[in-house]
Amino acid sequence: MLPTIEWQGDAVVMIDQRKLPATEVYVSCKTAAEVAKAIKTMVIRGAPAIGVAAAMGIAMGMRRSTATGTKQFTTEFQKTCDMMAATRPTAVNLFWAIEKMKHVFAEAAQGGCSVDEIKQRLEAEARRIHDEDVESCRTMGAHGATLVPQDARILTHCNAGALATAGYGTALGVIRAAAEQGKKVAVLADETRPFLQGARLTAWELVKDGIDTTVITDNMAGSMMRLGNVDLVVVGADRIAANGDVANKIGTYGVAVLAKEHNIPFYVAAPISTVDLHTPDGSSIPIEERNDKEVTHVGSSRLTPEGAHIRNPAFDVTPHKYVTAIITERGIARAPYDESLAALVNDAAVKA
Ligand code: MRU
């Protein structure tokens, strides 16, 4: 399986997702600021992977601190957390991971740990967040595979795969688990304008795994559904509000509306760390607006005339009424989501 991100000696190393599939190159980050930049510039992307990268970046940044007393060390820690939090606003996993690191820091500091001991605990927590992410994806995949028919044509949007997590993937984890169980799966991967995560990353991962993959441009999804070529949709999420509204890559909303029109199940696969019970509904989810250049250019070629206004919201919100079920590592939530999600977050055993 692909190593999306890993420690290598004193560096955090990640595959450069901006360059895939043309070249497989790795970016080695030696400071927390380099990790923050890698998140912001999409060297690493995908909600769970962003959270993992932030935790590893914080641990690495603090490992390098030369502070001798806890006072200075605490100030540096706070600054490092603030820098990570300012990278990307929509994926709640980022803030979830930062909170986890803050909790470990506070517990260690209050328990009278030395600076060196706090450094070790932060690193252990970052490693745990990494390893638990892969484990969650596998469990989520097993739950999700129960929803996949023996012979299934599955449409997905963006990349919610191994590259978007510490490994295995959420939506692609469901697809992988179904394939591992011997189900016959064929995937339609939406291209996903403007950053092309579907065409570049989802297709790359699935082809490497030997899974039947067809790339379509985003505007083909409706027609594919109408022609009867899609049995189910599964996508990831950047943040799921308490009422089940889902923020995910721009274009997901359109796919969900089309799926409902054609009576096709629309599933969302995401770890519990993506569920944000503090956000009551989709209207309070912050949506990142990215650089115009992602829309105006493909590589170095300009597509649009100078003078045209450009919009580039990176995510949209799919109201919960379009969501057939939400697949997590703790089980499958169905409507009413305010009840089922709260039960899962509070670790009650809710099953499909
Ligand atoms: O802008 P990106 O590439 O970070 O957006 C990624 C997505 O929207 C994914 O679908 C989502 O983060 C889930 S990844 C398991």
Side-chain angles (χ1 to χ4, degrees):
M1 202 171 46
L2 297 164
T4 308
I5 177 166
E6 61 185 11
W7 298 98
Q8 273 178 24
D10 61 352
V12 170
V13 177
M14 32 189 114
I15 191 162
D16 190 342
Q17 301 194 26
R18 299 166 307 179
K19 306 273 168 66
L20 289 171
T23 43
E24 239 174 86
V25 289
Y26 290 81
V27 171
S28 176
C29 300
K30 294 221 160 148
T31 64
E34 284 175 6
V35 173
K37 189 173 170 214
I39 296 172
K40 217 177 174 114
T41 58
M42 312 264 276
V43 169
I44 188 160
R45 33 64 51 201
I50 291 170
V52 170
M56 289 168 77
I58 291 168
M60 188 184 58
M62 298 323 293
R63 193 208 268 178
R64 286 176 178 276
S65 165
T66 51
T68 44
T70 42
K71 193 156 180 260
Q72 193 196 336
F73 193 63
T74 305
T75 309
E76 285 179 22
F77 175 74
Q78 193 53 52
K79 275 194 185 151
T80 307
C81 290
D82 291 349
M83 177 175 64
M84 288 298 170
T87 53
R88 297 194 70 192
T90 306
V92 76
N93 308 62
L94 170 68
F95 306 99
W96 171 88
I98 293 170
E99 278 313 307
K100 287 214 136 210
M101 298 301 277
K102 283 186 177 171
H103 182 76
V104 164
F105 188 100
E107 235 178 33
Q110 278 155 22
C113 289
S114 67
V115 164
D116 274 348
E117 284 164 343
I118 301 176
K119 287 181 180 179
Q120 280 165 20
R121 289 202 187 183
L122 289 172
E123 190 169 324
E125 181 66 5
R127 287 185 188 277
R128 195 172 314 128
I129 289 172
H130 177 283
D131 295 350
E132 284 179 4
D133 187 58
V134 182
E135 223 173 276
S136 301
C137 285
R138 287 200 174 270
T139 315
M140 194 187 310
H143 288 304
T146 62
L147 301 170
V148 177
Q150 192 55 38
D151 195 337
R153 293 150 314 160
I154 306 173
L155 185 139
T156 189
H157 190 73
C158 192
N159 170 266
L163 290 166
T165 59
Y168 204 68
T170 59
L172 297 196
V174 170
I175 292 168
R176 286 196 164 97
E180 283 163 15
Q181 288 174 5
K183 291 181 175 173
K184 187 166 172 270
V185 292
V187 177
L188 276 179
D190 276 356
E191 177 187 39
T192 319
R193 275 279 293 154
F195 207 71
L196 307 178
Q197 289 94 330
R200 297 188 300 108
L201 308 177
T202 293
W204 184 72
E205 276 193 33
L206 293 179
V207 166
K208 252 181 186 284
D209 270 14
I211 293 175
D212 182 329
T213 305
T214 304
V215 176
I216 57 171
T217 60
D218 298 337
N219 51 2
M220 296 175 189
S223 179
M224 291 293 162
M225 290 183 190
R226 201 173 69 79
L227 293 170
N229 292 332
V230 180
D231 299 308
L232 65 104
V233 176
V234 62
V235 296
D238 280 80
R239 192 183 296 228
I240 301 173
N243 72 342
D245 290 353
V246 174
N248 191 48
K249 180 52 53 195
I250 190 76
T252 303
Y253 169 58
V255 172
V257 173
L258 285 165
K260 191 164 187 87
E261 172 65 20
H262 295 94
N263 288 318
I264 295 167
F266 178 88
Y267 299 119
V268 174
I272 284 294
S273 52
T274 304
V275 179
D276 179 11
L277 295 184
H278 301 295
T279 297
D281 58 51
S283 67
S284 357
I285 299 177
I287 301 293
E288 177 184 12
E289 282 265 351
R290 291 188 61 85
N291 197 302
D292 289 358
K293 208 163 175 237
E294 289 178 359
V295 175
T296 56
H297 286 70
V298 169
S300 55
S301 300
R302 190 175 182 101
L303 300 173
T304 60
E306 299 281 359
H309 299 298
I310 302 294
R311 287 292 312 274
N312 188 13
F315 302 96
D316 59 26
V317 172
T318 297
H320 59 88
K321 70 172 181 180
Y322 295 106
V323 179
T324 311
I326 297 175
I327 304 156
T328 77
E329 71 277 29
R330 294 193 192 160
I332 298 170
R334 291 182 188 269
Y337 289 109
D338 47 356
E339 289 171 17
S340 58
L341 288 174
L344 285 182
V345 170
N346 297 322
D347 209 3
V350 174
K351 295 283 171 218

